[in-house]
């Protein structure tokens, strides 16, 4: 395996992508700058536990995986009344949205944060802009992306003005078959204005030949709330980061995660919150199950800055292993630079309790029926935290299907 990039990843390719979409000069230059920076940027940091580096992104064969000029997808976007939900490039041509997109693009996630964010910035061909004006309540925004090509780079931007509300449900899966492995990259930026509320739920269900890199980050202004729901079921390997910067006083975030891996799937998941203002609140809740030869590793970071007086920050992560061959670890971290903080964190990794399993079989259940009941019950705690009913039902369905 090698980190060599596809021969079509060049300035000429980037200009062609920009020209074919009639992009403004600022975006073309942003793309070219990201391309030029690639060689100087490191791959995303991955989770390491004592004696082990769980994920080696640098070993991926990007030369084979990334085909920038053949990106295709099916995308459905459904908006809400009085809000704007547009394809990224339609938004660039819209007099009311173009300047907003220029101002917000890259303001939450630095395009040069790492090698893969820069690659995505240089090559993305599809995306969605959600804009919710001040005081508007935008419920039931849905985005579905089905990847039909070997690789796809996708970008989503959410902007909520003061006192606005947005509930967004995103689904990602694979459509047309291709020979061999695939690569998906998704960047999501949420810019939440004062006293606005954003709930962003996503369900990743790619086929198990897909390598998935996703980065989601929110910026919460004064009294704003940014909540994330992250469901991971598919892919061969997923490296995902979900985070919120609580930049305004009395801002809040909740990050809820659920995953279920089997066969030889690999999940590298991290959740982070940066408390940077006074009276901020965060709650991180993740539960996952792995079976067969699957592997998972989780890292949760609560970072309390020196100016973050009266902080409340909580974190819980639990992973259940169903086989002796599966592997999992978790690394919760607290970084506290202000003593006026109430915080806690916990993580557990373990197998099905054999005594409980024996008790259930003694009551007439088969071993598989008992295990299925235990897994369903294990997920109840996290599914109760999923406030978007449609996403909760989707997760329940996929978990049940995996248990069959």
């Amino acid at each position: 395996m090698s980190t060599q990039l596809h021969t079509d990843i060049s300035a000429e390719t980037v200009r062609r992508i920009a020209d074919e979409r009639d992009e403004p000069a600022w975006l073309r230059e942003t793309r070219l700058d990201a391309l030029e920076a690639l060689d100087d940027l490191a791959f995303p940091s991955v989770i390491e536990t004592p004696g082990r580096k769980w994920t080696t992104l640098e070993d991926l064969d990007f030369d084979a995986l990334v085909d920038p000029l053949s990106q295709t997808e099916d995308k459905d976007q459904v908006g809400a009344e009085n809000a704007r939900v547009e394809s990224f490039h339609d938004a660039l041509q819209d007099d009311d949205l173009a300047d907003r997109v220029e101002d917000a693009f890259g303001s939450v996630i630095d395009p040069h944060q790492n090698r893969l964010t820069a690659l995505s910035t240089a090559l993305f061909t599809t995306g969605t802009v959600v804009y919710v004006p001040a005081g508007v309540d935008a419920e039931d925004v849905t985005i579905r992306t089905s990847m039909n090509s070997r690789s796809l780079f996708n970008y989503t931007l959410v902007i909520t003005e003061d006192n606005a509300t947005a509930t967004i449900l995103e689904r990602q899966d694979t459509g047309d078959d291709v020979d061999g492995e695939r690569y998906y990259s998704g960047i999501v930026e949420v810019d939440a204005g004062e006293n606005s509320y954003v709930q962003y739920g996503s369900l990743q269900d790619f086929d198990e030949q897909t390598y998935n890199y996703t980065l989601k980050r929110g910026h919460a202004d004064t009294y704003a709330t940014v909540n994330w729901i992250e469901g991971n079921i598919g892919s061969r390997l997923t490296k995902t980061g979900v985070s919120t910067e609580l930049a305004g006083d009395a801002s809040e975030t909740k990050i809820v995660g659920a995953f279920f891996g089997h066969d030889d799937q690999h999940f590298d998941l991290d959740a982070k919150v940066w408390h940077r203002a006074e009276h901020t609140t965060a709650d991180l809740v993740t539960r996952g199950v792995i079976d067969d030869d699957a592997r998972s590793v989780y890292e949760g970071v609560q970072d309390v800055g020196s100016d973050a007086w009266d902080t409340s920050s909580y974190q819980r992560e639990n992973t259940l292993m169903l086989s002796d061959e599966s592997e999992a670890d978790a690394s919760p971290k607290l970084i506290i630079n202000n003593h006026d903080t109430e915080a806690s964190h916990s993580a557990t990794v373990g197998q099905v309790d054999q005594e409980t399993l024996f008790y259930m079989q003694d009551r007439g259940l088969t071993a598989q029926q008992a295990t299925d009941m235990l897994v369903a019950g294990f997920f109840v705690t996290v599914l109760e935290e999923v406030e978007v009913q449609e996403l909760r039902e989707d997760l329940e369905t996929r978990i049940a299907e995996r248990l069959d």
Side-chain angles (χ1 to χ4, degrees), residues 14 27 32 61 97 119 132 145 152 155 181-182 186 202 209 221 247 271 275 356 368:
V14 170
L27 183 54
L32 290 170
D61 189 356
L97 294 178
L119 186 66
V132 187
T145 304
L152 186 68
Y155 174 82
E181 298 169 334
R182 305 179 190 244
S202 65
Q209 292 297 306
D221 204 339
H275 295 268
T356 302
Q368 188 60 55

Side-chain angles (χ1 to χ4, degrees), residues 239-287:
K239 166 60 181 172
T240 182
V242 183
S243 59
T244 304
E245 180 181 7
L246 298 174
D249 290 349
S251 54
E252 301 180 6
T253 191
K254 178 184 285 188
I255 302 174
V256 176
F259 63 91
F260 195 158
H262 71 164
D263 294 338
D264 64 347
Q265 288 182 286
H266 182 112
F267 294 135
D268 184 311
L269 315 169
D270 70 74
K272 292 184 174 67
V273 58
W274 293 277
H275 295 268
R276 294 296 180 259
E278 299 180 6
H279 318 299
T280 57
T281 302
D283 193 12
L284 284 60
V285 184
T286 296
R287 282 203 165 195

Side-chain angles (χ1 to χ4, degrees), residues 22 293 367:
D22 194 23
D293 295 309

Side-chain angles (χ1 to χ4, degrees), residues 273-343:
V273 58
W274 293 277
H275 295 268
R276 294 296 180 259
E278 299 180 6
H279 318 299
T280 57
T281 302
D283 193 12
L284 284 60
V285 184
T286 296
R287 282 203 165 195
V289 171
I290 53 171
D291 199 0
D292 304 321
D293 295 309
R295 299 167 302 284
S296 73
V297 61
Y298 166 89
E299 181 174 80
V301 178
Q302 303 147 274
D303 188 319
V304 181
S306 58
D307 295 326
W309 299 93
D310 187 28
T311 289
S312 298
S313 194
Y314 310 100
Q315 178 180 182
R316 292 155 286 160
E317 196 280 337
N318 308 95
T319 303
L320 181 65
M321 297 182 294
L322 301 184
S323 76
D324 292 335
E325 291 73 31
S326 58
E327 296 181 277
D329 208 341
S331 178
K333 296 179 179 178
L334 273 173
I335 303 170
I336 298 177
N337 295 298
N338 188 308
H339 69 274
D340 188 16
T341 296
E342 181 177 308

